Amino acid sequence: MAEEVLEKEAVEQEAKVTTKTREPLFSKRNRKLISDPFDDDNPITVQVLGICSALAITVKLYPAVVMAISVMFVLAAGNVIVSLMRNFIPNRIRIIVQLVVVAALVVLVDQVLKAFVYDVSKELSVFVGLIITNCIIMGRLEAFALGNKPWRSFLDGIGNAFGYGIILIIVAFFRELLGSGTLFGLQIIPDSWYIVNGGFYSNNGFMLLPPMALITVGIIIWVQRSRNTKLIEE
Amino acid sequence: MDVNKNSYTFMFAAIMVIVVAALLSFAATTLKPYQDENERLEKMQSILSSIKVEVSREEAAELYPEYIVQELVVSNHEEKPGIEAFNVDLTKEVRKSNIEREAPLYIAEKEGQRFFVIPIRGTGLWGPIWGYISLQEDVSTLYGAVFDHQGETPGLGAEIATAAFETQFEGKEILDDSGNLIGIDVRKGDASTQYQVDGISGGTITSEGVEAMILDCLESYIPFLKDYAATYSTAGSEL
């Protein structure tokens, strides 16, 4: 009898030990990987990564959304692959290895889309080059995936792509609305408001030009830092 | 295992390159037939779209023979027989001079009217741009135009492929009063005459590319088209 109790206790003890060493998939630490890039560790406004594409493709909302989705896919998959290979990658050629992984991934996806969903591929092909050169991808592979396990790297990829996408969409929202008077190509500002139709309004052509994207990102950084004082540098 | 040894680094790089190359070339070759078919259908769709027949890519193959009555190749202002117009590689042809080009021409019939569909190709800011324009029987009035591009920036240069830009070309003239080719002037803001259209804000270089492409490609056709239209109309009046 006593032996049985002892055995039971031992089994329970063992179970406790294993649960202790195995971290739950969505532990607090892992959830932070997703939530941090939204605000405290946003790739664009705090890490200052991926600015170039934020300037290039935010004239309209639709391409911004497409870009955000494609970056999410490439970043998550690239992070997982590099993380799986992290113990085998020779240190001296690690950047080239990362670049090859990302480029191969992007080209592969583009080829598959071109064969089976041609319309989507036409929309995306413009971004292929931009995705490969997007500093967020290389930045996260280098800073995170090389030193973390695949699941955490996956979450980090998703989180950062979300944080990047949200800024992209905010910038594109203002640029398209004020620059073209439309959202997703649909006319939002009524025709009767325009000066040509006897109104008072005229589209701000400056919003369509890249400098205005930079200024919009600057305003977002300003608003964010004034709300989140943690981010203010001494 | 020491992953930082020279020999390991070389091995790793070699294996990685072979694996990636094999993967990508396998994907490219197996997917090629599907991609080619998509491109063929899209070409038919664009040609139909230039004579304002809007169809989905799937319907294009079916409707194409109904509207396109003749495909021919124009070279040195004469018809050059024995070449499949649909398969002419325009990328190569636009590098030759206007006279030497083997320029494909599609003749379409819609609602009893005859249109000349001319493929055009040129360069935008970041890469090639191309399209199809259709001329009415007078060889001067544009009936429709479609443009496409490979890598122009969305919202800026890429706007040439939108209906807002393309519809401006309808009804514009490419020949002046004495019948000389002047093309279409894509300009900033004040497009008012029948030879001018508005350019894209922030897409000036691409807009200029469209202007240059239309003028350059039309030069191969105009004398031929004038002759063709003249014989056609006299033949028509004799009937």
Side-chain angles (χ1 to χ4, degrees):
Chain A
M1 205 53 187
E3 264 175 43
E4 258 183 42
V5 172
L6 269 180
E7 213 171 290
K8 216 177 176 183
E9 264 178 11
V11 170
E12 273 173 7
Q13 199 90 40
E14 211 173 324
K16 253 185 203 165
V17 170
T18 46
T19 47
K20 229 180 200 174
T21 50
R22 175 171 283 183
E23 195 179 346
L25 285 181
F26 289 101
S27 64
K28 199 175 173 201
R29 204 161 69 106
N30 283 351
R31 279 202 309 267
K32 269 180 90 70
L33 288 174
I34 298 250
S35 60
D36 267 3
F38 274 101
D39 187 9
D40 287 3
D41 197 18
N42 188 286
I44 294 186
T45 59
V46 180
Q47 302 175 45
V48 200
L49 291 174
I51 294 275
C52 357
S53 52
L55 306 190
I57 50 113
T58 48
V59 179
K60 292 221 138 69
L61 256 174
Y62 182 66
V65 172
V66 174
M67 181 69 171
I69 293 170
S70 6
V71 163
M72 186 179 302
F73 174 80
V74 174
L75 190 51
N79 256 358
V80 169
I81 292 172
V82 169
S83 167
L84 285 171
M85 288 166 48
R86 70 189 186 283
N87 295 327
F88 309 105
I89 299 176
N91 196 32
R92 267 177 292 173
I93 57 165
R94 65 181 198 285
I95 301 274
I96 297 178
V97 174
Q98 293 163 13
L99 198 61
V100 169
V101 168
V102 174
L105 212 57
V106 172
V107 174
L108 200 63
V109 172
D110 189 50
Q111 290 285 327
V112 172
L113 293 179
K114 216 182 249 169
F116 299 113
V117 258
Y118 191 67
D119 301 317
V120 178
S121 101
K122 282 200 65 164
E123 209 64 54
L124 274 176
S125 66
V126 183
F127 304 115
V128 169
L130 282 171
I131 292 173
I132 297 175
T133 56
N134 194 326
C135 9
I136 288 193
I137 311 258
M138 292 297 283
R140 293 322 295 172
L141 293 183
E142 176 74 10
F144 199 89
L146 270 183
N148 286 282
K149 290 196 171 145
W151 172 246
R152 281 174 56 79
S153 302
F154 176 76
L155 293 180
D156 180 75
I158 298 279
N160 274 283
F162 257 124
Y164 165 79
I166 215 100
I167 300 290
L168 229 57
I169 287 165
I170 295 173
V171 175
F173 175 85
F174 286 110
R175 288 184 75 191
E176 186 174 350
L177 184 66
L178 302 176
S180 315
T182 58
L183 287 178
F184 286 110
L186 298 169
Q187 191 69 38
I188 297 293
I189 294 170
D191 276 339
S192 55
W193 286 18
Y194 283 94
I195 290 170
V196 278
N197 299 329
F200 59 92
Y201 186 78
S202 168
N203 283 331
N204 184 350
F206 193 38
M207 286 308 273
L208 297 175
L209 301 178
M212 216 43 217
L214 198 61
I215 293 171
T216 318
V217 171
I219 293 173
I220 294 174
I221 293 178
W222 178 27
V223 171
Q224 189 192 9
R225 289 196 186 200
S226 60
R227 291 171 57 93
N228 189 346
T229 44
K230 256 193 304 189
L231 296 173
I232 300 173
E233 287 148 37
E234 293 298 322
Chain B
M1 189 173 48
D2 178 12
V3 296
N4 289 318
K5 266 199 326 208
N6 277 349
S7 54
Y8 179 85
T9 307
F10 277 117
M11 279 295 287
F12 186 92
I15 292 173
M16 180 184 69
V17 168
I18 293 168
V19 168
V20 170
L23 188 71
L24 290 185
S25 39
F26 174 74
T29 38
T30 43
L31 297 173
K32 185 91 174 113
Y34 300 99
Q35 297 172 352
D36 286 348
E37 176 66 7
N38 281 333
E39 272 166 32
R40 198 176 70 89
L41 290 177
E42 195 200 19
K43 189 170 172 181
M44 289 182 173
Q45 190 189 17
S46 307
I47 291 174
L48 289 178
S49 171
S50 76
I51 52 165
K52 299 189 207 167
V53 177
E54 299 299 340
V55 290
S56 72
R57 214 153 19 90
E58 288 72 30
E59 295 166 335
E62 226 173 277
L63 287 168
Y64 183 79
E66 278 182 32
Y67 287 98
I68 305 300
V69 292
Q70 200 183 351
E71 297 179 349
L72 46 95
V73 172
V74 180
S75 182
N76 197 8
H77 306 317
E78 280 170 13
E79 184 180 346
K80 192 170 182 180
I83 306 175
E84 190 99 22
F86 197 81
N87 296 331
V88 169
D89 184 0
L90 208 59
T91 322
K92 281 187 198 148
E93 298 304 321
V94 289
R95 293 198 197 115
K96 301 178 189 167
S97 76
N98 287 314
I99 301 289
E100 286 170 349
R101 262 178 220 170
E102 287 166 0
L105 171 69
Y106 307 90
I107 294 169
E109 259 178 15
K110 184 185 146 191
E111 293 154 10
Q113 271 189 304
R114 186 166 277 228
F115 301 102
F116 305 112
V117 179
I118 294 170
I120 49 178
R121 194 175 174 94
T123 43
L125 174 61
W126 299 113
I129 52 177
W130 62 90
Y132 296 88
I133 54 177
S134 61
L135 292 176
Q136 292 183 10
E137 266 170 63
D138 64 0
V139 197
S140 178
T141 315
L142 281 174
Y143 180 66
V146 283
F147 302 108
D148 211 341
H149 63 94
Q150 193 178 57
E152 299 308 310
T153 319
L156 301 174
E159 294 288 289
I160 59 164
T162 57
F165 182 70
E166 289 165 352
T167 48
Q168 289 189 83
F169 286 82
E170 290 167 12
K172 299 287 175 182
E173 307 277 336
I174 54 155
L175 304 179
D176 66 10
D177 292 338
S178 40
N180 299 317
L181 176 66
I182 52 167
I184 298 290
D185 181 13
V186 182
R187 52 189 299 130
K188 198 174 179 177
D190 57 342
S192 48
T193 72
Q194 75 265 40
Y195 308 110
Q196 297 169 336
V197 295
D198 264 334
I200 306 284
S201 332
T204 310
I205 295 178
T206 315
S207 306
E208 282 167 359
V210 171
E211 180 181 324
M213 154 172 96
I214 291 177
L215 187 63
D216 174 57
C217 288
L218 279 173
E219 276 172 350
S220 317
Y221 294 93
I222 293 304
F224 175 83
L225 280 181
K226 281 183 183 165
D227 289 348
Y228 188 97
T231 33
Y232 168 74
S233 61
T234 45
S237 60
E238 276 167 14
L239 283 173

